[in-house]
Short mmCIF file of all heavy atoms in Angstrom, two decimals:
data_model
loop_
_atom_site.label_atom_id
_atom_site.label_comp_id
_atom_site.label_asym_id
_atom_site.label_seq_id
_atom_site.Cartn_x
_atom_site.Cartn_y
_atom_site.Cartn_z
N VAL A 53 100.96 86.90 109.93
CA VAL A 53 100.50 86.77 111.32
C VAL A 53 101.29 85.62 111.96
O VAL A 53 101.29 84.50 111.45
CB VAL A 53 98.98 86.48 111.37
CG1 VAL A 53 98.53 86.22 112.80
CG2 VAL A 53 98.19 87.65 110.78
N MET A 139 66.13 100.02 111.87
CA MET A 139 65.78 99.46 113.17
C MET A 139 65.13 98.07 113.03
O MET A 139 64.47 97.58 113.94
CB MET A 139 64.86 100.42 113.93
CG MET A 139 65.58 101.71 114.37
SD MET A 139 67.03 101.38 115.42
CE MET A 139 66.20 100.92 116.94
N GLY A 140 65.35 97.42 111.89
CA GLY A 140 64.79 96.09 111.64
C GLY A 140 65.54 94.99 112.40
O GLY A 140 66.45 95.26 113.19
N GLN A 145 74.10 86.25 107.13
CA GLN A 145 74.16 85.39 105.94
C GLN A 145 75.58 84.85 105.79
O GLN A 145 76.53 85.62 105.64
CB GLN A 145 73.82 86.18 104.68
CG GLN A 145 72.43 86.81 104.66
CD GLN A 145 72.22 87.66 103.40
OE1 GLN A 145 72.17 87.15 102.28
NE2 GLN A 145 72.12 88.97 103.59
N VAL A 166 80.15 86.17 91.67
CA VAL A 166 79.18 87.18 92.09
C VAL A 166 78.71 86.92 93.52
O VAL A 166 78.17 85.86 93.83
CB VAL A 166 77.96 87.20 91.14
CG1 VAL A 166 77.04 88.37 91.48
CG2 VAL A 166 78.40 87.27 89.69
N TYR A 171 76.00 89.80 87.47
CA TYR A 171 76.91 90.10 86.38
C TYR A 171 76.44 89.29 85.17
O TYR A 171 76.38 88.06 85.22
CB TYR A 171 78.35 89.70 86.73
CG TYR A 171 79.32 89.94 85.59
CD1 TYR A 171 79.80 91.22 85.33
CD2 TYR A 171 79.71 88.90 84.74
CE1 TYR A 171 80.66 91.47 84.28
CE2 TYR A 171 80.58 89.13 83.68
CZ TYR A 171 81.04 90.41 83.45
OH TYR A 171 81.88 90.65 82.40
#
Side-chain angles (χ1 to χ4, degrees):
V53 175
M139 291 302 287
Q145 300 176 67
V166 188
Y171 178 79

